[in-house]
Amino acid sequence: AQSVTQPDIHITVSEGASLELRCNYSYGATPYLFWYVQSPGQGLQLLLKYFSGDTLVQGIKGFEAEFKRSQSSFNLRKPSVHWSDAAEYFCAVVGIQGAQKLVFGQGTRLTINP
Amino acid sequence: SQTIHQWPATLVQPVGSPLSLECTVEGTSNPNLYWYRQAAGRGLQLLFYSVGIGQISSEVPQNLSASRPQDRQFILSSKKLLLSDSGFYLCAWSVQTEAFFGQGTRLTVV
């Protein structure tokens, strides 16, 4: 069964600084990979996804993520964060075979310092 | 376009009372449907998922159950709520892997 690990529970960065949120997955093959963002008390919004092809994917709000098969990672990056990026970020995977469960990591809470 | 409706948005229930949360999807057919719970600081825990009418898979043993009486309707239930059932419940649907979420239900068991 697939699983996802987000090693960082909470990250604080200054506004304008670069950001990288880590995500590692466990699955027997290459799964489908996602990053979602959740503002307080809200549902989840899809930032970007990887199915196949180019391993660097671009998403909304200036985010990008890079799939690295050798490291089983799908880290999320942004070159310059804005105060409005403060939120909780979730990495998720779906196995490409079987019932296609969507499984999430524990999430990383991002705080932005002015 | 596809939409997902989840209600109620907030709910306060006493311990031992029953629960019914409903989720409906519009604009798609035969979606995969999911119920997640988000407890404070614990991320999104998959509770149930369904690939078709009457087909429910439970991910964790618990006090809750799920049903799918119609293709686009997914219900989360409990006969007797526990304090530990408090949390933020999210319904989601997916077709060919990408998932879309409802706005969630904040359940407080008192």
Side-chain angles (χ1 to χ4, degrees), chain A residues 31-90:
Chain A
Y32 299 133
L33 296 157
F34 307 85
W35 274 99
Y36 286 85
V37 61
Q38 183 183 35
S39 297
Q42 300 297 311
L44 275 73
Q45 180 183 24
L46 180 68
L47 284 176
L48 47 78
K49 59 189 177 185
Y50 172 79
F51 289 170
S52 65
D54 192 349
T55 56
L56 183 64
V57 294
Q58 302 298 319
I60 62 171
K61 305 184 180 186
F63 285 93
E64 66 178 26
E66 185 173 12
F67 169 60
K68 293 185 177 180
R69 185 192 311 273
S70 61
Q71 298 177 21
S72 297
S73 69
F74 189 56
N75 293 350
L76 181 71
R77 300 194 295 249
K78 186 169 184 178
S80 177
V81 297
H82 186 261
W83 64 267
S84 60
D85 293 324
E88 186 124 21
Y89 291 80
F90 292 93

Side-chain angles (χ1 to χ4, degrees), chain A residues 9 32 34 36 38 41-46 49 51 88 90 94-95 99-107, chain B residues 32 34 36 38 41-44 46 49 51 59 88 90 92 94 96-104 106:
Chain A
I9 302 298
Y32 299 133
F34 307 85
Y36 286 85
Q38 183 183 35
Q42 300 297 311
L44 275 73
Q45 180 183 24
L46 180 68
K49 59 189 177 185
F51 289 170
E88 186 124 21
F90 292 93
V94 172
Q100 298 186 336
K101 293 187 301 182
L102 178 62
V103 177
F104 285 83
Q106 288 295 93
Chain B
N32 291 341
Y34 307 85
Y36 293 87
Q38 187 176 25
R42 295 190 60 186
L44 282 158
L46 178 61
Y49 71 98
V51 298
E59 289 297 295
F88 190 54
L90 284 162
S94 71
Q96 294 186 351
T97 73
E98 183 172 341
F100 300 89
F101 287 81
Q103 287 302 298
R106 172 74 58 192

Side-chain angles (χ1 to χ4, degrees), chain B residues 4-37:
Chain B
I4 180 169
H5 301 283
Q6 184 182 343
W7 67 92
T10 59
L11 190 60
V12 180
Q13 291 285 98
V15 169
S17 64
L19 173 73
S20 181
L21 302 181
E22 188 163 344
C23 173
T24 60
V25 179
E26 296 177 358
T28 186
S29 297
N30 197 30
N32 291 341
L33 295 172
Y34 307 85
W35 278 110
Y36 293 87
R37 178 170 57 203

